[in-house]
Amino acid sequence: MIALSSVMILQLILVGAAAGTFGALLGIGGGIIIMPFFLQIGILTPAAHAAGLILSSLTGISSSANNLKIGNLKRRTVSGFIPGAITGVLLGASFQIIFKLLFPRSDYALVFKLLFILMLLYSLYRMAVKLF
């Protein structure tokens, strides 16, 4: 169990705010920011992954509701993506189990940190290309 000092609580608030902001603005999901942070402070990978998924889901639901409200997203389009999204979630969970079996404990966390950093950099690159 990790003791929550006032510094740790402040870090959690700041990282959560950054994850929510970047997740909503860039559409990358806050888990890309949250997961490496959780792993760095010693939260076990399954718990970090679960917390990251919950936070990303909340960001996604909030952003989707806002985009539906302002007309950037059509209900018909969303309903078309649901079967693929469910399939992706199931595949992602399966890959996580496979990675955990293939990599020792220390390598497993490193692989996910690198994967999330690469996904973040790729998302930022795509956003920069669209802006310029």
Side-chain angles (χ1 to χ4, degrees):
M1 187 79 180
I2 296 175
L4 290 178
S5 66
S6 57
V7 173
M8 178 63 69
I9 292 171
L10 180 61
Q11 286 177 331
L12 289 169
I13 290 170
L14 292 174
V15 170
T21 301
F22 284 116
L25 287 174
L26 305 177
I28 59 174
I32 292 173
I33 297 169
I34 295 285
M35 182 76 170
F37 175 74
F38 281 167
L39 294 175
Q40 192 63 36
I41 63 171
I43 295 176
L44 297 176
T45 302
H49 185 70
L53 285 174
I54 290 169
L55 294 171
S56 293
S57 297
L58 294 173
T59 301
I61 290 168
S62 173
S63 296
S64 296
N66 187 48
N67 281 302
L68 275 169
K69 183 178 176 180
I70 62 176
N72 289 340
L73 193 59
K74 306 291 185 234
R75 290 185 194 278
R76 183 174 171 195
T77 304
V78 173
S79 64
F81 281 112
I82 290 174
I86 292 171
T87 303
V89 166
L90 295 174
L91 286 174
S94 300
F95 287 141
Q96 182 188 16
I97 293 167
I98 292 168
F99 279 153
K100 190 171 184 177
L101 294 173
L102 292 177
F103 296 105
R105 184 172 169 83
S106 59
D107 291 341
Y108 178 70
L110 179 63
V111 167
F112 274 95
K113 286 178 187 177
L114 292 174
L115 178 65
F116 283 119
I117 290 169
L118 289 173
M119 289 172 29
L120 174 63
L121 292 173
Y122 176 72
S123 295
L124 291 172
Y125 167 77
R126 286 189 53 206
M127 186 185 126
V129 168
K130 288 181 183 179
L131 289 176
F132 301 106

